[in-house]
């Protein structure tokens, strides 16, 4: 695909193997095409590795973080479970939201929590709501430990951000989906991998080995879940789709009445 951006003519021309389409540069469709390339180039340049939240690195596209905030505020979850800890920035982000809402606890799971990251998380003033569990997110003993932290009546939100291979994400979905409250989500992050297989830092196998396909296949197997981008609570534009590293990530657990229909 070739994109030709002409700021004098105010056009964006798409050349897909000789099939030419010219768009108004300031149109919705042009924005979506430019955004896709911006995300791909930004990912290759490690743009997502340039942010922090209250002193801890948070390796996410800011768009995804803001959209996640919208969901957390609407759901008011009692428990947020995240697989993949890294530097702990996401955990601190969730904890800051929970503190502002005056409710909520966070569990962070990682196969290896490096000592310097653990020390920084535990020393952070927002650590009081966070529980760290070291071990494979799919290990039965780890899953069992998480289940003991779920209290009767809890609203539970789960974010999967550890090993992003198809098989691991599918196994995580199978392991944790039962904990998700009807109306809440289990989020299979970083499915953008399928669209990064051909960039310089990409891997060709990502075209099929990615979280987006794992989420799709899981939803096909489990009709109580549906892939559904959460609605934007505010929108005065014609736009409808997230600019995201998480395409097809939001698996919503249907309400009982919806499943029966």
């Amino acid at each position: 695909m070739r994109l030709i951006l002409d700021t004098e003519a105010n056009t964006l021309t798409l050349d897909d193997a000789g099939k030419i389409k010219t768009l108004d540069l300031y149109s919705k469709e042009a924005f979506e095409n430019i955004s896709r390339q911006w995300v791909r180039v930004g990912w290759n340049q490690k743009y997502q590795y340039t942010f922090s939240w209250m002193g801890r690195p948070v390796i996410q596209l800011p768009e995804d973080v803001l959209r996640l905030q919208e969901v957390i505020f609407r759901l008011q979850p009692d428990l947020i479970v995240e697989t993949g800890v890294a530097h702990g920035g996401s955990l601190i982000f969730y904890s800051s939201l929970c503190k502002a809402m005056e409710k909520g606890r966070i569990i962070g799971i990682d196969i290896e929590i490096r000592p310097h990251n653990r020390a920084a998380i535990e020393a952070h003033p927002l650590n009081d709501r966070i529980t760290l569990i070291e071990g494979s997110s799919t290990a039965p003993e780890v899953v069992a430990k998480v289940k003991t932290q779920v209290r009767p009546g809890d609203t539970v939100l789960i974010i999967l951000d550890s090993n992003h291979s198809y098989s691991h994400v599918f196994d995580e979905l199978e392991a944790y989906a039962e904990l998700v409250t009807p109306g809440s989500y289990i989020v299979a992050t970083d499915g953008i991998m399928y669209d990064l297989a051909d960039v310089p830092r990409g891997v060709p196998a990502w075209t099929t080995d990615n979280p987006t396909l794992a989420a799709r296949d899981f939803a096909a197997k489990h009709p109580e879940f549906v892939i559904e981008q959460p609605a934007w609570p505010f929108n005065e534009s014609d736009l409808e789709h997230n600019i995201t590293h998480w395409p097809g990530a939001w698996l919503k657990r249907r309400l009982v009445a919806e499943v029966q229909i």
Side-chain angles (χ1 to χ4, degrees), residues 46-62 64-66 68 82 85-94 161 246:
K46 293 190 172 184
Y47 176 63
Q48 67 276 19
Y49 284 82
T50 67
F51 300 96
S52 63
W53 187 267
M54 300 188 77
R56 297 305 301 156
V58 56
I59 306 170
Q60 300 291 358
L61 192 66
D64 288 322
V65 172
L66 192 57
L68 185 53
E82 181 172 64
V85 169
H87 300 277
S90 293
L91 301 180
I92 300 302
F93 170 68
Y94 307 142
D161 193 19
W246 305 351

Side-chain angles (χ1 to χ4, degrees), residues 3 12 28-42 61 192 195 239 241-244:
L3 275 68
L12 178 70
K28 171 184 174 182
E29 191 174 356
F31 176 80
E32 291 172 346
N33 279 276
I34 293 168
S35 295
R36 174 178 175 245
Q37 294 305 318
W38 179 84
V39 166
R40 284 160 49 85
V41 174
L61 192 66
I192 190 66
D195 200 29
L239 302 173
H241 305 294
N242 292 356
I243 299 170
T244 184

Side-chain angles (χ1 to χ4, degrees), residues 67-83 93-94 97-98 101 105-107 146 150 154-160 176-177 179-188 230 246 249-253:
R67 295 301 179 194
L68 185 53
Q69 169 272 145
E70 292 174 343
V71 172
I72 289 172
F73 183 72
R74 176 173 58 82
L75 287 177
Q76 301 275 312
D78 299 285
L79 181 63
I80 300 171
V81 179
E82 181 172 64
T83 65
F93 170 68
Y94 307 142
L97 296 179
C98 289
M101 297 186 299
R105 314 178 314 278
I106 301 101
I107 296 174
V146 172
V150 181
D154 273 354
T155 296
V156 180
L157 170 68
I158 297 178
I159 300 108
L160 307 178
Y176 292 99
L179 303 183
V180 178
T181 314
S184 185
Y185 300 86
I186 184 167
V187 189
W246 305 351
W250 295 87
L251 282 153
K252 179 182 179 182
R253 185 161 193 167

Side-chain angles (χ1 to χ4, degrees), residues 224-242:
E224 69 273 26
F225 284 89
V226 60
I227 296 174
E228 179 181 294
Q229 174 188 293
W232 300 346
F234 173 76
N235 184 11
E236 290 188 353
S237 76
D238 293 327
L239 302 173
E240 304 170 278
H241 305 294
N242 292 356

